[in-house]
Amino acid sequence: MRFERREFLFGAAALLAARPAFAQAPLTVFAAASLQESLTAANEAWAKRNGTPARLSFGASSAMARQIEKGAPADLFLSADVDWVDWLAERRLIVPASRRDLLSNSLVLIAPAASKTSLKIAKGMPLAKALGGGRLAVADPAAVPAGKYAKASLTALGVWGSVEKNLLPAENVRAALAYVSRGEAPLGVVYATDAKADPKVRVVDTFPAATHPAIVYPGAVLSGSRNPRAAAFLGYLQTPEAAAIFKRYGFGVLARPA
């Protein structure tokens, strides 16, 4: 009886010791909505190498950052601009040494695929006239990176005042894309990668990079994370394999292996 009990206790201890290898804590990544297809593909590639995919949650960078501030259980944050990572850094909610600038993007004016609208983006362009009484779909310019970039560019081009009252604001850039895709807005401002992801829209023209702040996607491990795979996943996003995936979806790659 004593022998059986000792064997049982030894077996239970062995199972407990081995448990982390089979039941790893899930890795949760909060990411900008515009990363949906590319990051999902990178995550699938990561899972082939590591066995367990990360849990991905997409939304406006502003909404993701605010959720993190309120204690949302995330391990890694990938933003569509530096401002929201700076905002978290000021609150000591990221690991500063982990921060990396990963990707770049461009800003485009889109229309429904069947639209005949033609407009050259330039100083003083007749954007309000091109709307034809409709509204301009754009992510919330007060907080969402894509909307902030759009406002900056339209202001630099001298046309923000002419369309400000004709905006169709969206909670994130993918919602703005959907308004145009469904024909609810004749024009919209999104990232080039968003336009590439939806065959129901077409690019009218690309905004000059000099008219808005550089579009940079930083990533950082969150200070509240205790998951060692957070740093590993961020490191993977800087590998040549991940870079090839992001390039396939239209992103520019900024990061070099850490």
Side-chain angles (χ1 to χ4, degrees):
M1 235 2 226
R2 288 180 182 174
F3 176 80
E4 291 178 357
R5 178 178 175 79
R6 185 162 49 184
E7 286 291 312
F8 171 79
L9 290 174
F10 176 81
L15 285 173
L16 286 172
R19 189 177 177 184
F22 297 96
Q24 293 177 317
L27 174 67
T28 301
V29 180
F30 278 14
S34 50
L35 292 169
Q36 189 167 329
E37 292 82 11
S38 58
L39 188 61
T40 297
N43 188 34
E44 290 171 355
W46 154 267
K48 287 179 181 178
R49 289 179 172 274
N50 298 277
T52 305
R55 296 191 304 193
L56 308 180
S57 181
F58 297 99
S61 298
S62 51
M64 301 274 99
R66 287 169 178 150
Q67 288 176 31
I68 290 166
E69 184 196 29
K70 293 178 181 178
D75 300 295
L76 186 64
F77 179 48
L78 306 177
S79 174
D81 74 354
V82 299
D83 291 350
W84 284 108
V85 177
D86 288 344
W87 188 81
L88 290 176
E90 290 168 2
R91 289 157 177 76
R92 299 183 179 181
L93 293 174
I94 68 165
V95 178
S98 73
R99 182 171 177 170
R100 295 289 185 277
D101 288 341
L102 301 172
L103 306 168
S104 64
N105 213 330
S106 55
L107 202 65
V108 297
L109 182 69
I110 61 168
S115 169
K116 303 300 182 184
T117 298
S118 177
L119 183 65
K120 180 66 178 176
I121 294 178
K123 198 92 171 175
M125 62 181 175
L127 180 57
K129 182 178 179 181
L131 288 172
R135 294 198 286 170
L136 179 68
V138 61
D140 180 7
V144 181
K148 291 161 63 180
Y149 294 131
K151 180 179 179 179
S153 191
L154 294 173
T155 299
L157 293 165
V159 297
W160 175 254
S162 68
V163 298
E164 187 176 4
K165 293 181 180 179
N166 301 103
L167 299 180
L168 181 54
E171 63 181 353
N172 59 57
V173 71
R174 284 308 174 91
L177 176 71
Y179 284 143
V180 179
S181 180
R182 294 194 300 257
E184 296 173 25
L187 293 170
V189 182
V190 299
Y191 298 122
T193 53
D194 298 309
K196 185 176 181 178
D198 192 335
K200 293 183 179 180
V201 306
R202 65 177 181 83
V203 174
V204 176
D205 202 3
T206 301
F207 288 89
T211 63
H212 57 76
I215 300 173
V216 175
Y217 288 70
V221 175
L222 300 175
S223 58
S225 174
R226 296 295 177 266
N227 194 323
R229 293 190 301 145
F233 187 83
L234 183 57
Y236 172 74
L237 298 183
Q238 300 166 64
T239 64
E241 181 178 71
I245 293 170
F246 287 117
K247 287 178 181 178
R248 189 167 77 239
Y249 285 90
F251 289 90
V253 175
L254 302 175
R256 295 294 179 268

